[in-house]
C-alpha cells in the first residue's frame, strides 16, 4: 500500500489490504472514526471495489449520521459482492432510517435469503413492516425471531409495539414484561409498558412503569413526556407541568412536548400560555394532527372559534379518522348554536371510535334523545364494558346514560346512572365543605351594613358591566341570551376576571389577609382601582357596547364588593325552584369547578348557605340595587320579564330580545343547546319525577324544598 498514502502513518502505509482493513475496524471500535476513515480512503484509492472496505466506510458514515453517504457506500459494497448478508442487511437498515421503506424491504428480503436464521435480520424486517403499517407481517417476523432466540429482549419489545398498534394493549403489556424480565435495564420496554397500561386505563401502574423508565434514563424527553401524560390523566396537573418543563429544558424545540404543554396548560385554565405553546408546536410540526388539534383547542378557549374550526379541519386533512377533532368541531358548532351540524360531527366521531364516553355526553346534550337513535344502541353496548373502563370514562358514560333515560322518561334508571356518575366524580375531587360553608359566614360578617355605608362612594363610575349571578342551572344563561340579543349589549359569558382580581388582593403589611376580610383594610381608592381593573379586562370583549354581561354564577359571593367597586354596574340575581335547580346541577358534569354539586346532601347545604347570603345582600344593599328574576316567571311571561330587565339596565326596548334563540353568539355553558330553542316549560317542576330519590337533598334544604307556586 504505497500509492496515495494520505494522512496514514508510515507504518500504516506498509500494511496489506487485509491488515489495513483490520486496523481501520479497530480504530472505529475504539472511538477513532477519523483514523478509520483515512485508512478506508487509502484502501479504496488502491482497490475501489473492495467490498469489505466499502461496507466499513458505510458503517463509519452511518455512525456520524450521514445517511446519504452510508446508503451510497453500502450500495457499492452490495454491487461489489452481493453474497454477503450483512452488506444487504445494513443497506436495508439505512434505507429504513431514511424513510425509504420499500427499498429497505427489498434488500432486507435479499439478506434473509442469504441468512434465513439470522434473528437480527428477522427483527429488522419486522420493524420495516411495522413502519409500513403491515402489522400482521411485522408480528410474524418478530415471532420468528423469538422462536429462534427466546431471550431476544428487543424482539419481545417490538412485538409488543406491534400488538399495541393492532389494538391488543393487554397482549402488548405481556410482551413488554417479557422483555423486561430478560433485560431488567431496558428503559424503552418500561416506557412502552407504561403506554400500554395507559391505553388500558391502569394509570397508577402506568405511572410506575414510566417512573422505572425515568430512573433508567432520566434525560430522555420521551419518557418525561409520557410520565407527564399519565399524571395528566390522573389529574395531577402541577406535577405533569413540571415534568414537561424539564423535558423542554432538555429539548427546547421538541414540537411533541410543546403540544403536550399546550394541553396541560388548557387543563390548568391558562389559555394564553397554552396558545403560545401550541403556536410554537405548529411551527415545528405543521402537519401533525395532534398539534393542530391542540392549537384549535387553545383558540377555542380564547373565543376565536372560527380559527379553531380551521385548525380542527386541518387536523382532519392530515388524519381523516381523527375522532377527537370531530368531537372538538362538534363542541364549537354547539357553542355557535349549529346543533344539527354539531350532532353530525359527534356522530362521525363515534363512527370512528365508539368507545368515547365524553362524546356520548356531548351528543346527548345536542337534542332530546329518542328511542331508536342510532348512537343510543352503541352507547348501551359500550355500557356493557363499564367495569373495564377507567373511572373518568365510567363517570362520563353514566352522565350520558342519565341524560338519555331522563329524555326517554325512564326516571328510575336515569337516577341510578345519575347517582353512579356523581359518586365517581366525588371521589375525584377535593371539596372542603367546612371551609366552603364557613366562607359564606365570613362574607356576611365582613360585608355588614356598616362597612357598606362606610366604603361606598368611590368606585369606578363606568356602567358597562351587567353581572348575572346565582346558582348554576338557575336560568342565568337564558337571561344572558335575552340581554345579549339587545343591539347594545355584548354577552361575554362566564368570566373568571373578578375572581382572579379578588384572589390577588393582599393588604400591605399583611400578606395573609385576603377576601373577604381584606375589604375592611381597603380604602376608598382601592375599591375604585379594583373597579377600573375589572372594566379594563371587560372591555377586551367589546370596545363599544353600552353593556357587557358577565354571567359567572359564583359572583354572588362578590355582590357587596361589586356594589362598592362598580356602583353603576347592574346586578341581576336569577333564581329557580331550589329542588329543580339542585337536581339539574346533580344531573350535570360541569366543565368548571362546581365541587359542591356531586353529593345531594352537600349540594343542599351549599344551597342553603347561598340563599342566606343572597338574603343578606338584600338587607344591606340599597333598595333596587339588585334585580331579582325568577326563571319560572321568565318562562311564564317572557315579554314582561324581558322588558323589566331591559329597563333595569337603562336601555330602550328591543323586540330582538324576544327572539333570543336566533341570536348568533357562542355560548360555552352547559345550557348552550337549551338557549337555541324558544321558551319551553318542560324543565319546570322536573324534580317531581325524582322526589323519592332526593331524600338527602330535601333534608338538607329543609323548608326551601317546598315547591314554588
Amino acid at each position: 500500500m504505497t500509492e496515495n498514502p494520505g494522512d496514514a502513518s508510515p507504518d500504516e502505509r506498509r500494511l496489506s489490504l487485509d491488515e489495513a482493513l483490520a486496523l481501520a475496524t479497530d480504530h472505529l471500535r475504539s472511538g477513532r472514526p477519523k483514523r478509520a476513515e483515512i485508512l478506508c480512503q487509502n484502501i479504496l484509492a488502491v482497490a475501489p471495489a473492495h467490498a469489505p472496505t466499502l461496507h466499513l466506510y458505510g458503517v463509519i458514515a452511518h455512525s456520524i449520521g450521514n445517511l446519504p453517504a452510508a446508503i451510497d457506500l453500502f450500495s457499492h459494497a452490495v454491487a461489489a459482492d452481493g453474497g454477503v448478508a450483512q452488506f444487504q442487511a445494513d443497506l436495508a437498515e439505512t434505507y429504513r432510517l431514511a424513510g425509504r421503506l420499500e427499498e429497505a424491504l427489498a434488500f432486507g428480503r435479499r439478506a434473509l435469503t442469504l441468512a434465513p436464521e439470522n434473528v437480527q435480520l428477522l427483527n429488522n424486517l419486522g420493524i420495516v413492516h411495522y413502519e409500513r403499517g403491515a402489522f400482521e407481517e411485522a408480528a410474524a417476523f418478530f415471532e420468528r425471531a423469538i422462536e429462534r432466540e427466546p431471550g431476544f429482549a428487543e424482539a419481545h419489545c417490538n412485538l409488543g409495539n406491534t400488538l399495541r398498534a393492532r389494538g391488543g394493549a393487554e397482549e402488548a403489556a405481556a410482551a413488554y414484561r417479557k422483555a423486561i424480565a430478560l433485560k431488567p435495564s431496558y428503559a424503552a420496554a418500561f416506557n412502552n409498558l407504561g403506554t400500554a397500561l395507559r391505553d388500558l386505563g391502569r394509570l397508577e401502574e402506568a405511572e410506575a412503569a414510566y417512573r422505572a423508565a425515568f430512573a433508567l434514563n432520566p434525560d430522555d424527553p420521551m419518557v418525561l413526556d409520557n410520565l407527564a401524560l399519565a399524571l395528566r390523566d390522573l389529574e395531577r396537573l402541577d406535577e405533569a407541568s413540571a415534568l414537561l418543563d424539564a423535558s423542554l429544558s432538555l429539548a427546547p424545540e421538541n414540537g411533541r412536548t410543546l403540544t403536550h404543554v399546550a394541553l396541560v396548560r388548557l387543563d390548568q385554565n391558562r389559555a394564553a400560555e397554552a396558545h403560545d405553546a401550541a403556536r410554537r408546536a405548529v411551527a415545528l410540526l405543521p402537519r401533525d394532527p395532534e398539534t393542530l388539534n391542540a392549537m384549535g383547542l387553545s383558540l377555542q378557549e380564547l373565543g376565536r372559534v372560527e380559527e379553531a374550526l380551521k385548525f380542527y379541519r386541518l387536523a382532519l386533512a392530515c388524519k381523516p379518522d381523527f375522532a377527537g377533532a370531530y368531537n372538538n368541531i362538534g363542541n364549537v358548532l354547539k357553542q355557535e348554536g349549529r346543533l344539527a351540524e354539531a350532532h353530525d360531527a359527534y356522530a362521525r366521531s363515534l363512527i370512528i371510535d365508539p368507545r368515547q364516553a365524553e362524546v356520548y355526553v356531548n351528543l346527548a346534550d345536542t337534542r332530546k334523545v329518542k328511542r331508536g337513535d342510532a348512537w343510543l344502541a352503541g352507547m348501551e353496548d359500550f355500557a356493557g364494558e363499564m367495569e373495564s373502563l377507567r373511572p373518568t370514562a365510567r363517570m362520563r358514560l353514566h352522565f350520558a346514560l342519565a341524560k338519555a333515560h331522563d329524555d326517554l322518561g325512564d326516571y328510575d334508571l336515569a337516577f341510578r346512572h345519575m347517582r353512579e356518575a356523581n359518586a365517581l366524580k366525588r371521589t375525584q375531587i377535593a371539596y372542603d365543605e367546612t371551609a366552603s360553608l364557613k366562607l359564606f359566614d365570613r362574607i356576611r360578617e365582613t360585608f355588614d351594613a356598616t362597612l357598606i355605608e362606610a366604603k361606598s362612594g368611590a368606585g369606578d363610575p363606568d356602567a358597562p358591566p351587567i353581572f348575572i349571578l346565582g346558582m348554576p342551572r338557575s336560568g342565568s344563561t337564558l337571561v344572558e341570551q335575552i340581554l345579549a340579543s339587545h343591539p347594545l349589549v355584548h354577552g361575554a359569558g362566564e368570566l373568571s376576571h373578578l375572581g382572579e382580581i379578588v384572589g390577588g388582593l393582599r393588604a400591605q403589611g399583611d400578606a395573609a389577609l385576603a377576601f373577604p376580610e381584606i375589604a375592611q383594610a381597603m380604602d376608598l381608592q382601592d375599591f375604585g382601582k379594583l373597579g377600573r381593573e375589572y372594566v379594563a379586562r371587560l372591555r377586551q370583549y367589546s370596545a363599544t357596547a353600552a353593556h357587557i354581561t358577565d354571567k359567572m354564577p359564583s359572583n354572588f359571593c362578590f355582590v357587596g364588593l361589586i356594589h362598592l367597586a362598580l356602583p353603576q354596574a347592574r346586578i341581576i340575581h336569577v333564581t329557580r325552584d331550589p329542588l329543580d335547580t339542585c337536581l339539574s346541577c346533580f344531573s350535570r358534569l360541569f366543565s368548571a369547578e362546581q365541587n359542591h354539586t356531586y353529593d345531594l346532601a352537600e349540594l343542599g347545604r351549599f344551597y342553603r348557605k347561598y340563599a342566606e347570603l343572597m338574603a343578606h345582600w338584600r338587607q344591606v344593599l340599597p333598595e333596587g340595587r339588585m334585580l331579582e328574576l325568577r326563571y319560572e316567571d321568565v318562562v311564564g311571561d317572557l315579554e314582561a320579564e324581558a322588558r323589566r330587565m331591559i329597563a333595569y339596565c337603562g336601555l330602550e326596548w328591543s323586540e330582538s330580545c324576544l327572539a333570543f334563540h336566533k341570536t348568533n353568539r357562542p355560548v360555552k355553558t352547559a345550557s348552550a343547546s337549551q338557549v337555541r330553542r324558544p321558551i319551553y316549560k318542560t324543565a319546570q317542576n322536573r324534580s317531581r319525577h325524582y322526589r323519592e330519590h332526593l331524600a338527602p337533598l330535601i333534608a338538607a334544604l329543609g323548608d326551601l324544598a317546598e315547591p314554588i307556586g
Side-chain angles (χ1 to χ4, degrees):
M1 261 187 71
T2 57
E3 296 87 7
N4 192 22
D7 294 324
S9 69
D11 289 339
E12 290 174 341
R13 294 176 203 145
R14 290 190 291 270
L15 297 175
S16 68
L17 287 180
D18 289 343
E19 289 172 335
L21 181 63
L23 182 58
T25 302
D26 182 66
H27 280 319
L28 181 61
R29 289 173 178 167
S30 301
R32 298 186 294 273
K34 188 62 180 175
R35 296 291 300 277
E37 181 180 1
I38 291 169
L39 278 169
C40 287
Q41 290 170 347
N42 280 285
I43 295 170
L44 294 173
V46 176
H50 192 252
T53 301
L54 288 164
H55 175 259
L56 180 62
Y57 202 177
V59 172
I60 295 168
H62 177 269
S63 71
I64 62 175
N66 190 345
L67 285 182
I71 289 172
D72 182 64
L73 288 161
F74 287 145
S75 296
H76 280 87
V78 167
D81 186 352
V84 180
Q86 193 64 52
F87 297 173
Q88 305 268 6
D90 287 347
L91 178 56
E93 179 63 6
T94 50
Y95 274 133
R96 182 188 73 82
L97 293 171
R100 296 163 64 175
L101 298 181
E102 295 308 314
E103 291 152 296
L105 183 61
F107 282 97
R109 284 171 173 162
R110 292 182 193 177
L112 194 62
T113 62
L114 297 168
E117 299 301 313
N118 186 310
V119 294
Q120 190 61 59
L121 267 175
L122 291 167
N123 183 65
N124 287 355
L125 271 168
I127 294 171
V128 172
H129 281 297
Y130 176 87
E131 293 185 356
R132 292 173 67 243
F135 301 128
E136 296 292 337
E137 293 90 339
F141 275 100
F142 295 135
E143 287 165 353
R144 284 172 62 186
I146 291 167
E147 182 181 351
R148 286 159 177 75
E149 188 178 319
F152 192 177
E154 285 76 9
H156 284 284
C157 188
N158 289 332
L159 178 59
N161 293 340
T162 305
L163 293 169
R164 178 173 173 265
R166 288 164 54 184
E170 195 72 65
E171 296 87 346
Y176 296 137
R177 287 195 173 97
K178 181 65 176 178
I180 291 165
L182 293 167
K183 188 177 176 181
S185 62
Y186 199 170
F190 277 111
N191 180 62
N192 294 344
L193 174 60
T195 301
L197 292 168
R198 270 189 71 220
D199 291 344
L200 292 166
R202 290 149 60 178
L203 299 178
E204 290 79 7
E205 294 177 67
E207 179 189 357
Y210 287 137
R211 289 201 182 279
F214 176 71
L216 292 165
N217 195 358
D219 294 329
D220 186 344
M222 180 185 294
V223 173
L224 289 166
D225 280 15
N226 286 338
L227 178 54
L229 293 176
L231 294 173
R232 179 190 178 219
D233 290 343
L234 289 164
E235 300 186 10
R236 290 155 59 185
L237 299 178
D238 290 343
E239 294 175 72
S241 180
L243 284 168
L244 291 171
D245 288 343
S247 180
L248 279 180
S249 71
L250 295 168
E253 298 304 307
N254 189 320
R256 188 76 56 195
T257 302
L258 286 163
T259 298
H260 298 156
V261 168
L263 295 173
V264 171
R265 294 289 185 270
L266 286 169
D267 292 339
Q268 294 174 309
N269 297 316
R270 295 156 64 180
E273 294 173 57
H275 179 63
D276 181 64
R279 180 180 51 77
R280 292 168 59 196
V282 168
L284 294 163
L285 300 171
R287 299 287 298 166
D288 180 70
E290 296 288 348
T291 299
L292 295 166
N293 186 62
M295 175 62 116
L297 288 168
S298 73
L299 289 164
Q300 185 176 349
E301 194 61 28
L302 291 170
R304 295 158 60 180
V305 292
E306 290 304 321
E307 294 173 80
L309 276 176
K310 169 189 167 185
F311 276 94
Y312 294 144
R313 287 170 176 148
L314 284 173
L316 284 172
C318 297
K319 184 181 178 183
D321 63 345
F322 193 170
Y326 277 116
N327 178 55
N328 293 334
I329 287 172
N331 290 337
V332 171
L333 295 172
K334 184 172 74 170
Q335 288 179 20
E336 293 192 319
R338 297 155 64 180
L339 300 182
E341 295 173 76
H343 185 278
D344 289 346
Y346 294 137
R348 292 186 72 176
S349 180
L350 288 171
I351 289 171
I352 296 168
D353 181 4
R355 301 180 77 258
Q356 298 180 87
E358 177 185 5
V359 183
Y360 284 113
V361 174
N362 295 336
L363 187 58
D365 194 47
T366 56
R367 61 173 173 80
K368 191 176 181 68
V369 178
K370 300 175 183 177
R371 297 191 193 279
D373 280 343
W375 59 271
L376 185 57
M379 182 168 64
E380 296 285 4
D381 288 344
F382 187 24
E385 306 174 37
M386 190 76 79
E387 294 308 312
S388 67
L389 302 178
R390 66 179 66 173
T392 297
R394 291 207 310 275
M395 176 263 295
R396 287 173 172 160
L397 190 54
H398 276 303
F399 271 116
L401 288 162
K403 166 63 165 61
H405 287 293
D406 180 86
D407 286 349
L408 296 171
D410 303 330
Y411 300 116
D412 290 342
L413 184 55
F415 188 80
R416 180 169 68 79
H417 286 297
M418 212 181 292
R419 183 179 59 237
E420 292 291 335
N422 281 278
L424 284 165
K425 179 64 176 179
R426 186 63 183 85
T427 65
Q428 298 174 9
I429 59 175
Y431 173 52
D432 186 341
E433 184 183 20
T434 300
S436 179
L437 300 187
K438 180 62 177 175
L439 176 62
F440 288 99
D441 297 332
R442 290 166 49 210
I443 293 171
R444 293 203 318 274
E445 292 164 5
T446 300
F447 285 88
D448 58 14
T450 302
L451 182 138
I452 294 291
E453 183 177 355
K455 305 285 186 177
S456 292
D460 185 78
D462 277 1
I466 300 175
F467 292 94
I468 304 166
L469 45 83
M471 281 288 290
R473 309 297 297 163
S474 62
S476 56
T477 303
L478 171 61
V479 168
E480 184 186 44
Q481 185 74 354
I482 293 168
L483 285 169
S485 301
H486 194 286
L488 297 181
V489 178
H490 178 84
E494 294 183 2
L495 306 179
S496 60
H497 300 309
L498 186 57
E500 291 168 357
I501 295 169
V502 172
L505 292 175
R506 292 293 184 270
Q508 289 186 350
D510 187 355
L513 191 61
F515 182 84
E517 290 81 9
I518 194 172
Q520 297 169 334
M522 293 171 65
D523 58 31
L524 297 182
Q525 288 71 31
D526 291 330
F527 288 105
K529 179 181 177 182
L530 188 157
R532 286 190 296 276
E533 182 177 353
Y534 174 80
V535 171
R537 293 197 189 191
L538 198 64
R539 273 300 180 196
Q540 69 181 290
Y541 300 96
S542 174
T544 59
H547 290 291
I548 304 170
T549 62
D550 177 347
K551 68 161 294 288
M552 178 62 74
S554 58
N555 281 338
F556 65 74
C557 291
F558 305 134
V559 167
L561 198 63
I562 292 169
H563 171 67
L564 297 175
L566 294 157
Q568 299 303 315
R570 274 44 172 195
I571 305 171
I572 300 176
H573 175 217
V574 187
T575 62
R576 180 184 176 191
D577 175 87
L579 268 184
D580 283 352
T581 300
C582 292
L583 174 64
S584 189
C585 288
F586 194 66
S587 69
R588 279 283 173 174
L589 174 60
F590 288 96
S591 57
E593 294 303 318
Q594 298 289 349
N595 288 346
H596 57 279
T597 65
Y598 301 109
D599 176 274
L600 287 173
E602 290 174 346
L603 178 53
R605 290 189 288 268
F606 185 96
Y607 190 99
R608 283 199 70 87
K609 282 293 185 180
Y610 143 79
E612 290 174 7
L613 181 58
M614 294 312 301
H616 173 76
W617 295 134
R618 294 183 196 103
Q619 291 176 350
V620 299
L621 294 184
E623 187 175 352
R625 181 69 181 88
M626 180 170 64
L627 178 66
E628 304 269 3
L629 289 175
R630 291 177 66 242
Y631 168 78
E632 291 80 5
D633 293 339
V634 176
V635 171
D637 192 343
L638 171 62
E639 182 169 352
E641 294 302 296
R643 285 183 178 276
R644 195 158 72 94
M645 67 178 84
I646 294 299
Y648 168 75
C649 294
L651 296 167
E652 295 291 330
W653 172 248
S654 172
E655 291 292 330
S656 61
C657 295
L658 300 180
F660 63 88
H661 55 287
K662 298 180 181 179
T663 298
N664 184 19
R665 57 178 283 267
V667 178
K668 296 176 66 174
T669 70
S671 302
S673 57
Q674 289 94 321
V675 297
R676 305 302 182 181
R677 291 184 279 163
I679 285 290
Y680 59 94
K681 300 183 179 182
T682 55
Q684 292 187 65
N685 201 17
R686 179 187 175 203
S687 59
R688 72 186 185 279
H689 301 299
Y690 295 95
R691 198 171 181 93
E692 64 181 284
H693 300 293
L694 302 179
L697 173 62
I698 292 169
L701 286 173
D703 60 332
L704 296 177
E706 295 302 317
I708 293 178

